[in-house]
Amino acid sequence: RKEVEQDPGPFNVPEGATVAFNCTYSNSASQSFFWYRQDCRKEPKLLMSVYSSGNEDGRFTAQLNRASQYISLLIRDSKLSDSATYLCVGEASYGNKLVFGAGTILRVKS
Amino acid sequence: DGGITQSPKYLFRKEGQNVTLSCEQNLNHDAMYWYRQDPGQGLRLIYYSQIVNDFQKGDIAEGYSVSREKKESFPLTVTSAQKNPTAFYLCATSGQANEKLFFGSGTQLSVL
């Protein structure tokens, strides 16, 4: 089983829609979680850190559910420019390092 | 201008050749990482270093080597033992282990 798993999508949504991605993780002791955004053939860029109490940044909301071991990303009022691959990140079970999910593709259409 | 500089942007390797990818940072970060990304896939960790003169193998270290002689620099050598080197290579840094990562702009390596 992969340490961090995501639905690869693609999620095809119209502009203005609300879309949510989930990401499950296997390391119950993980303290650090992040969402990154990656455009085609570019480097990933940090979108949000994920805090235990949940956190919001404009149209983006991240939540952590420790009981079910998943993190989520909610995007409200989707824009064309939100089209990208979204990567979730957690801590590996062994070694002091982070591990990436394979990414979820979002396509926002007009 | 603070950041992470990867070079070259594109690199071509002939069969049997070793090639070295450069990663330099001026963020004063202790930890540095090398990832490989294949089309449609996530990032896989090749090597990482949490302090100068020390580094650890990641999940796919075979066919690669690194050095960390200076805090600012973490070069990656793709050796001839790596039989399928075509991929997008990303260098990243963090202040400490398990903190948020900052990435360079990547190197696309292809085989001639």
Side-chain angles (χ1 to χ4, degrees):
Chain A
R1 181 189 171 190
K2 293 182 180 178
E3 296 216 59
V4 175
E5 295 202 72
Q6 299 181 245
D7 181 343
F11 286 64
N12 295 301
V13 303
E15 271 188 292
T18 295
V19 61
F21 310 136
N22 282 347
C23 169
T24 59
Y25 62 93
S26 60
N27 179 11
S28 59
S30 181
Q31 297 295 316
S32 299
F33 301 95
F34 308 96
W35 283 103
Y36 279 78
R37 171 199 168 119
Q38 186 176 27
D39 293 293
C40 189
R41 281 307 184 208
K42 299 285 189 182
E43 73 275 21
K45 294 189 176 176
L46 180 67
L47 182 64
M48 304 178 72
S49 301
V50 184
Y51 302 118
S52 297
S53 55
N55 47 300
E56 186 174 308
D57 182 2
R59 298 182 293 109
F60 299 86
T61 300
Q63 296 208 313
L64 168 62
N65 185 315
R66 286 202 178 275
S68 301
Q69 293 188 209
Y70 73 86
I71 63 172
S72 63
L73 177 67
L74 181 78
I75 305 174
R76 290 180 297 278
D77 188 22
S78 298
K79 312 290 185 190
L80 294 175
S81 57
D82 293 334
S83 298
T85 298
Y86 291 83
L87 304 167
C88 76
V89 184
E91 292 180 31
S93 299
Y94 299 99
N96 214 9
K97 57 189 178 179
L98 298 175
V99 61
F100 282 75
T104 297
I105 297 170
L106 172 64
R107 297 179 185 146
V108 181
K109 299 184 184 296
S110 58
Chain B
D1 193 26
I4 303 162
T5 302
Q6 281 190 246
S7 62
K9 190 172 178 67
Y10 299 97
L11 185 59
F12 296 90
R13 192 192 90 166
K14 296 179 181 178
E15 195 170 334
Q17 185 182 39
N18 292 354
V19 292
T20 297
L21 284 60
S22 171
C23 180
E24 303 281 330
Q25 57 110 349
N26 61 6
L27 299 172
N28 200 34
H29 283 172
D30 285 320
M32 298 187 73
Y33 310 80
W34 275 105
Y35 290 90
R36 169 180 172 142
Q37 188 174 35
D38 294 279
Q41 297 191 31
L43 279 65
R44 292 185 291 167
L45 184 63
I46 304 172
Y47 269 98
Y48 62 110
S49 167
Q50 296 179 0
I51 197 168
V52 175
N53 291 323
D54 189 38
F55 50 83
Q56 288 80 40
K57 292 182 179 179
D59 303 312
I60 54 165
E62 187 174 348
Y64 300 97
S65 65
V66 293
S67 63
R68 186 84 187 277
E69 296 176 2
K70 299 186 300 181
K71 188 174 186 177
E72 303 79 21
S73 179
F74 191 41
L76 174 74
T77 297
V78 184
T79 74
S80 56
Q82 173 50 246
K83 298 305 180 188
N84 184 23
T86 296
F88 188 48
Y89 290 85
L90 287 156
C91 176
T93 72
S94 64
Q96 293 183 20
N98 292 338
E99 291 185 354
K100 58 189 174 185
L101 296 171
F102 297 86
F103 285 87
S105 58
T107 294
Q108 175 63 49
L109 175 62
S110 303
V111 176
L112 288 175

